[in-house]
Each structure stands twice: as structure tokens, then as C-alpha cells.
Amino acid sequence: MSLFRPEIDRIAGYVPGEQPQDSGWTKLNTNENPYPPSPRVVEAVTAAAQGKLNLYPDPLGSKFRKAAATVLGVDPDWILPGNGSDEVLTILTRSFAGPSDQIAYPYPSYILYETLSDLQGARHERLLLEPDWSWNFDKLAPQIERSKLIFVPNPNSPSGNRWTWDDLLALTPPRGILVLDEAYGDFCDVPHRGELLNSSVGRQVVITRTFSKSYSLAGIRFGFAMAHPDVIAGLRKMKDSYNCDTLSLAAATAAIEDQDWMQQNTARIRATRERLTGALTSLGFHVVPSQTNFVWATHPTGRHKAYYDALKAQKILVRYMSFPGVDWAPDQRLDGLRITVGTDLEIDTLLDALAQIVK
Amino acid sequence: MSLFRPEIDRIAGYVPGEQPQDSGWTKLNTNENPYPPSPRVVEAVTAAAQGKLNLYPDPLGSKFRKAAATVLGVDPDWILPGNGSDEVLTILTRSFAGPSDQIAYPYPSYILYETLSDLQGARHERLLLEPDWSWNFDKLAPQIERSKLIFVPNPNSPSGNRWTWDDLLALTPPRGILVLDEAYGDFCDVPHRGELLNSSVGRQVVITRTFSKSYSLAGIRFGFAMAHPDVIAGLRKMKDSYNCDTLSLAAATAAIEDQDWMQQNTARIRATRERLTGALTSLGFHVVPSQTNFVWATHPTGRHKAYYDALKAQKILVRYMSFPGVDWAPDQRLDGLRITVGTDLEIDTLLDALAQIVK
């Protein structure tokens, strides 16, 4: 007899991308940044490690919030630090959605939102995107209307496209919260700046950011929410007292203070992204123009799983993704390869292998 | 109009002990270990900081689990690492208690359990302890019977006493889970070893441990659950994919591998605890014999809040605690001072000040 809640027994749980613990892999599957974090991060962590680790961290992460507020042009009370934006998304789910409430999210998109809904025991619905990754608002209006919480990654994954502010405004549920998951926002040609928080629906919008991607710090687990201080104050009740540790707070503070380092890396990734997109197109792939550090590539052969397997056999990991229930896709299933923009060398390795595989 | 769940709007949220960010305090209020962590921890964190922080951590924390399993004499599948035992307690609450389920915990005890229940929207009941901190099982049987989840800190806070295995067996709900929160287990004269997991109710027991106390690592946020692998597998669905970061995994692994360091520090704290207990008794306090790194002290004058304030005015922080709804206490309210066992020097500072204050 299981003593778990029935909702928990029913689900399989979220399965993250493969994280091989041995070496020798060209790892283009989980959208990590191929470049190291700022040297200031290493200095800050080394100093913090020699400090008072026997004491609890600052429960509010005040130094980080001050540094982030300066960069983002808001007051520190608009910022809630978290143990990765994963934790922030969990806090948001638990804060706004009870068992009878509806959570919605675009589809195909980041499948974690569905797992978060299941774990919370909330109801959930997919907002089916069009074949060109746009929204059919006429069709979706009733779903948006009845949602308490809508998660939208902007730019989206796996497609890498970015939506307009008008789209996002139209996605804000009339009696609910819109969460803009901006994990990849820094990779846009013109990065987001949280303007929607100052709009007429500003108090219904929460923006989440992560240090895992643009700041090259997936290893430290750090993200944050940005929202009106009244919203942040409510979210703070839900978080664990000391949800961020001394070392990650030191690392994130140093990282956000070194904007030059981050921007140099995102610029390099944008350049490589352009080259990768062109080369994949030459190999016959269709590639969605990306505003992120990955590209979504599909091939007329449809042999995406075979390509993934052939690459993996050569220790090149990309993400094979398959989305059932997409009525406009062949057999109602959209699949393809989501490929992280690595270093130029890693992308050469990938392209050389792919050229052999798809020919 | 608030968009938060009504349960969240209703509560104030948990308030942790004060964490002054300026220096000069004698900090005896949040049961931190006054001694630094093992030098191996500093080495491990420094090395990890120079490693690949741009990559995600091992989602399962395999190296840590292996090291912990060796120390604890179990298989690694019995271990679930978490972002502090706070996160483990949250995962347990969400995994086992739905809105109609009952959570119970001793009272007076660690008040966080009540907040965790409120945040989950579960029902909750206090298991009122007797004046000598023992259980009246005849009276409590119906409450235990109807609980889905019972949290018991063993040793208890604020009292510092430890219960017997027979007590804990009797606390296991017939159709539920008993969580033994062993945050202070390493400070016992004869530390716990998880024997209850091998008892007839073993699959209904989860033991939680933290690195914040005996391992002097409150700053890194690391704890773990120990339970039957079937239970651990279910809990794993609830955790964020990468709930523990690269640096804290490195720190915790190094710390648990240096048992000598931890045991030397806990031995020192036990010795200081004995001296503190004797000195407080000489000042007229009643002190519960403690198996932890703190003592619970009450004084016949009942002027606990005044003593706390007077100490704070001298930059000495202890924890003033007040528990309403205790029918055997004066005015149905139990209050007193919970004092962390610091270094001998810190305890001298406290005792000198208290001698002036209580005279």
C-alpha cells in the first residue's frame, strides 16, 4: 500500500536531459553555456568558502537583491532569489494554484510546467501553438479566461522563438497570473527588460530569470523572480527560510555585477547560433530562427530519433524531443532535435558528424 | 484583489531566528555550530569553484549518496539529498499530505511544521506534550490514529530532550508516515543510527538529517532524507531536478567523509553544554537535560522576555520563545529562553551578562 498522495503515485515525474558523469562528451543537450563564468565568480566563491559557512545565510539575499536591482533598474523589493528558477516556478505554482485551479502553458513548450501542475494536484490545460509557433487567440480565449496561472517561456523552448509584448498582454489571464519564464531572455538580439511589469497588467505578471544559461552558472542553482513588491511579499511566505546558500549568493552577486563578461559570451553564442542555423539549413534541416542558446531543427526525412542515436554513438549529445497530441503534425506528434549552441569547436564536431549521418 | 491562494493570504509565514548582518554579536539564537567546518570542506569547495560551474550538477548527487551510505551503513538508494533539511521537510509534506489529510506534530516543538502544513493547505493538529516533555499516549491515540503525516524532532526543540524508540514506535500513525527530524541527532550522548528503519514499521519512517548543525555548514544549505528505497523513489519525483548544487554537494561529501572533525566538535559542544547547564542552574534557572547543541532554560521569576531584551541590549542574542495554548502552563502560555551552546568564550560572555541581569 502506497502512502503517497494518489497524484504523486500516478505520475512518472519530470525527466531532465541526460547528464553523463563521465568525460569525453560533446554536450549539446541541456542548453548549458559552453563558456566559463566570470573570474570574479570564482574569486567570490573562494572567499566565501573561507568565511563563516557555519552560520546561516542572509534569508533575504539582500546583497544580491541590491546588485540585481541596480542592473535591472528596479527597487530590491521587486526581487525574490531562488534555488534555481526551478524553485521559483515551484513557489509560484504553490502560491497561486490550489487543487481546483487551472494552470495553462503553451504546447509544445517546456514540459516541466505540466509536471509542476501534477505535483500540485492542480488542473492543467495546454495552449496549443500554431505550426509557425504563433497563438490563435480566438481559439485559446476560453482557456486563457479560466486560468489562474499561465506559464509562458519567452523565448520559447524548444522552438527558440520570441513573442511580442502584444501577444504576452493577450495571454494575461483576467483573474490570474502570467509567469514569463525568461530563462533565455539574455540571448535575444534585443534582450527583455521587464517592461510588462509597468503595464496596466503589471501586478499580474511575474518574470523569472536564471543564472544557469547566460551567466554560465547551471552548477550553482540560482534564479530569481521579478514582480511588484506586493507579489514578492506573498511569494516570500512560501519559500524556505534559507532557500539560497552563502556560496550561490556570493556567486550570483559577482556574476550579475560583471555584465560585460555575460554580454561577451551571449554575443559569441549569437554569432555561433547564426553559423549553426546556416549550416543546418544547408544540410536540409528546417531551423526556427532562434532568440536563445539553442535551435530547433527538423528534417524532411523525419528521422530525428535515428539522428539523435547516431550522434550519441559518437558521444555527441543533443536533445531528441517528441510532443504527442499536436493535431497539425504528422501522426499528431511533433518531433525534432533541440541543439544547444556550444563553442565553435563543439559545433564543428556536431556538423561534421551530422554531415555524415544525414547524407 | 489578491490572486494568492486564500491559505497563503491567511498566514503570516514562518519567521526564522534573527540573523543580524552586522558584526559584534554573540549569536546564541539559531543553533549554529560555533566551530568552523572541516578544512577538507574549504578545499573541496575551492576546487569545485574552479571546475565546471557552467554545467548542471549531478541531479541525484551520487557521490554524496555513496559517501553518506558508507558512513550510515545503508545502500545509496536509501538517501535523498536536499537543499537543507527544510527542503526535505517541504518535499515530505507535499508528497504525503493532500488538502483533506492531517499533519500532526508535538507541541511545544519546532513551529515550522505548522507553517509547512498551512502552506500545503492541509489540516493540522498539535500533539500536546506533558510538562516533563513526555507523551500521554492514551490521550493522543485518536490524533495519531487519524494522521497521515507526523513530524517529530528527536531530540526535540526547544526542550532538547530525546525520546525512546518505544515512544517513536507508538507515534507511527497506522496509515501514515512518521518523520523523525534528527537535525540535532549527532549531539546526543549516544547518537541515533536509524535503527527504526529496520523495525516492523520501517517503511513508514523517514529520517531527516542536516549539515547545518553538527557539520558546521548552515551556510551551504544541505540535508538529506533516509528511508526505504521505495519511499525515496517517490520523494524523488517531488524534488526539483537539480535541487542540490555542485558546491554544496562537494562540501557535504567532504564533510561527511571527515567524521573525526565532526565528532571532535560535537564532543566539545557536549562538554560546554554540561558547564552551561550547571551555571544556569546556579543562577536559578530550570534547565531541561539536553541532548542537543542548545538548552531550554526557564526561571521562577518568569521574566524571560526581559532577560532576552537585556541580553540583546548587550549584543548577545538568545532565542525568546513563547508557546500559547499550553494548558498546563501559567496563563496557558509556556515561555523561556532557548540558548545555543556556543564556544566556551561565548558562554562565558553570556553567563557574565546573565549573572548581572538575573541578580
Side-chain angles (χ1 to χ4, degrees), chain B residues 153-168:
Chain B
N154 194 45
N156 190 38
S157 169
S159 52
N161 69 297
R162 177 183 178 179
W163 291 299
T164 65
W165 289 118
D166 284 345
D167 284 344
L168 301 177

Side-chain angles (χ1 to χ4, degrees), chain A residues 5-182:
Chain A
R5 285 167 50 211
E7 299 93 316
I8 311 305
D9 277 331
R10 256 194 310 267
I11 63 170
Y14 179 72
V15 180
E18 295 159 275
Q19 301 290 2
Q21 299 299 308
D22 56 331
S23 59
W25 289 86
T26 299
K27 197 167 173 309
L28 304 172
N29 68 326
T30 50
N31 300 340
E32 288 138 329
N33 194 314
Y35 302 109
S38 163
R40 293 198 214 166
V41 168
V42 181
E43 280 168 36
V45 170
T46 305
Q50 283 155 2
K52 296 204 167 294
L53 293 183
N54 58 317
L55 301 186
Y56 281 101
D58 173 8
L60 298 179
S62 302
K63 276 186 198 161
F64 168 77
R65 288 190 302 126
K66 200 173 159 192
T70 303
V71 169
L72 299 162
V74 296
D75 189 86
D77 288 348
W78 287 68
I79 311 276
L80 179 85
N83 185 41
S85 59
D86 274 2
E87 189 203 24
V88 177
L89 297 173
T90 293
I91 289 172
L92 288 164
T93 305
R94 300 190 71 200
S95 295
F96 295 112
S100 59
D101 292 325
Q102 179 178 297
I103 296 176
Y105 34 81
Y107 186 82
S109 184
Y110 188 27
I111 207 68
L112 176 69
Y113 308 132
E114 199 155 298
T115 304
L116 292 176
S117 304
D118 284 336
L119 292 173
Q120 179 65 354
R123 295 184 301 123
H124 54 76
E125 289 187 15
R126 298 168 173 177
L127 306 173
L128 189 63
L129 293 163
E130 299 299 297
D132 65 353
W133 302 94
S134 69
W135 305 91
N136 181 338
F137 283 112
D138 289 342
K139 203 176 69 182
L140 299 174
Q143 289 179 278
I144 295 169
E145 169 83 19
R146 63 176 171 256
S147 292
K148 185 71 195 298
L149 184 59
I150 296 186
F151 287 109
V152 176
N154 194 44
N156 190 39
S157 170
S159 52
N161 70 298
R162 176 183 177 180
W163 292 298
T164 66
W165 289 118
D166 284 346
D167 284 344
L168 301 178
L169 277 170
L171 280 165
T172 308
R175 284 174 298 278
I177 294 281
L178 174 68
V179 175
L180 290 182
D181 178 348
E182 296 193 348

